[in-house]
Amino acid sequence: MRIAGYAYDGAKYDLYSDPADNVPLLKKAGLVTPNAGPGTIRKGSSLNVTGKLTYPDWNRLDVGGNSFVSVAYAGQPVSLEFRKAGTTSYTRVRTVTSAADGTVRTTVTADTSGTWRWSFGGAGVVVASVSPDAKVLVYNVRR
């Protein structure tokens, strides 16, 4: 593989290329904000958490030609992480495998309020990624 570009020497542009055998070209994975059901849920209820894992296809541009099309990244392990309200660190709850269309989904029990996110550790030329947070408020109903 070669990396090529143009260098400007002050008077003209010259084609510059160099072997790139030792330069890894990495793609950034994309994880959408998890959909963690309603923002408020009753304690002990089931909470469905979904998301989608994608990466840029460098061979296809969007309709406007301004950015690469994102495609599904299937068969990859993606971890669901939780941070309890009032704390600063996340804990891995479980790991699921992305479906053919890149979707990830799981069901958890809502025990306490906090923040959910998806985390992908990277694979091959696709680097690690973490989704934005989804906050869920768990309330306790007394009888």
Side-chain angles (χ1 to χ4, degrees):
M1 181 186 329
R2 296 182 76 78
I3 293 179
Y6 288 93
Y8 184 66
D9 69 1
K12 63 180 177 158
Y13 287 95
D14 292 317
L15 178 61
Y16 174 78
S17 65
D18 200 8
D21 294 334
N22 297 324
V23 179
L25 299 176
L26 303 176
K27 299 178 181 183
K28 177 137 173 59
L31 279 165
V32 298
T33 302
N35 181 356
T40 305
I41 192 167
R42 180 182 292 197
K43 184 175 182 172
S45 297
S46 292
L47 180 65
N48 295 314
V49 186
T50 61
K52 188 168 186 173
L53 178 64
T54 61
Y55 68 93
D57 180 349
W58 289 344
N59 296 313
R60 297 187 325 184
L61 291 172
D62 65 7
V63 176
N66 298 319
S67 62
F68 295 107
V69 173
S70 290
V71 296
Y73 201 13
Q76 298 302 311
V78 181
S79 297
L80 179 65
E81 298 177 343
F82 178 73
R83 180 173 52 93
K84 186 176 178 179
T87 64
T88 58
S89 61
Y90 282 86
T91 302
R92 181 175 39 212
V93 176
R94 72 175 47 122
T95 300
V96 298
T97 302
S98 59
D101 64 354
T103 58
V104 286
R105 67 173 36 111
T106 191
T107 302
V108 294
T109 301
D111 290 327
T112 186
S113 296
T115 303
W116 296 92
R117 73 179 185 185
W118 291 107
S119 176
F120 172 64
V125 297
V126 181
V127 297
S129 181
V130 176
S131 73
D133 296 340
K135 292 185 178 168
V136 175
L137 175 63
V138 175
Y139 63 95
N140 193 5
V141 176
R142 301 181 196 272
R143 296 184 185 234

